């Protein structure tokens, strides 16, 4: 990752947070980045946790907001809509830095947010939403999954949603044989709280 940040030497919370923002920003900008795929956890209707890997499509530092996309028919979408909350985990392997975030999430379907996201989405990605069966539907074989071949994928947009996840807390951890470092940033009560934690 670009930059001169050295986690092993860092004793500055502001610089530590800036490194977290850089990790998320790179995840959006570079498809080959290890931060491009993030793990998102929700709570299912049965009360058990569920985790998925999604593509990080957007990050706005000023509002601390992540964006990813989902199918409106998926359990993930239902669970996010019901709880309005999710957890996100990203692991920067080369830097040995995991990020763990708690977020308030909103689903955007057929509104300005989703339309802008759809317009910025490549045709190959749009095709995923033209699947006739809802995600998770039992099929006899992978070859039997049907897709709507309507021109210009107009019908696929009906199944598309953008999820905006506003970060409320973020934990940064640096893993090192010489000694781990851990910090927590919390925006839930207005002025941000920034503290070091025992790892």
């Amino acid at each position: 990752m670009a930059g001169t940040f050295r986690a092993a030497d860092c004793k500055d919370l502001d610089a530590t947070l800036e490194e977290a923002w850089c990790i998320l920003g790179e995840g959006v900008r570079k498809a080959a980045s290890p931060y491009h795929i993030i793990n998102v956890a929700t709570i299912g209707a049965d009360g058990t946790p569920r985790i998925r890997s999604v593509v990080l499509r957007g990050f706005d530092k000023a509002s601390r907001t992540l964006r990813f996309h989902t199918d409106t028919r998926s359990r993930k979408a239902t669970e996010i809509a019901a709880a309005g909350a999710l957890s996100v985990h990203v692991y920067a392997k080369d830097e040995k830095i995991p990020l763990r975030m708690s977020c308030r999430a909103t689903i955007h379907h057929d509104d300005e947010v989703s339309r802008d996201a759809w317009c910025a989405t490549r045709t190959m990605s749009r095709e995923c939403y033209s699947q006739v069966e809802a995600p998770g539907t039992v099929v006899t074989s992978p070859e039997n999954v049907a897709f709507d071949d309507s021109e210009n994928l107009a019908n696929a947009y009906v199944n598309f949603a953008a999820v905006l996840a506003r970060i409320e807390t973020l934990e940064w951890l640096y893993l090192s044989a010489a000694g781990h470092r851990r910090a927590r940033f919390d925006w839930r009560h207005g002025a941000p709280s920034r503290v070091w934690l025992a790892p």
Side-chain angles (χ1 to χ4, degrees), residues 62-84:
S63 64
R64 308 185 315 276
T65 302
L66 309 171
R67 176 171 55 83
F68 62 91
H69 303 158
T70 190
D71 192 304
T72 58
R73 302 166 296 174
S74 68
R75 287 185 181 179
K76 176 168 72 266
T78 301
E79 291 159 5
I80 293 171

Side-chain angles (χ1 to χ4, degrees), residues 1-7 9 19:
M1 183 163 52
T4 59
F5 181 90
R6 284 181 49 83
D9 301 330
E19 176 69 358

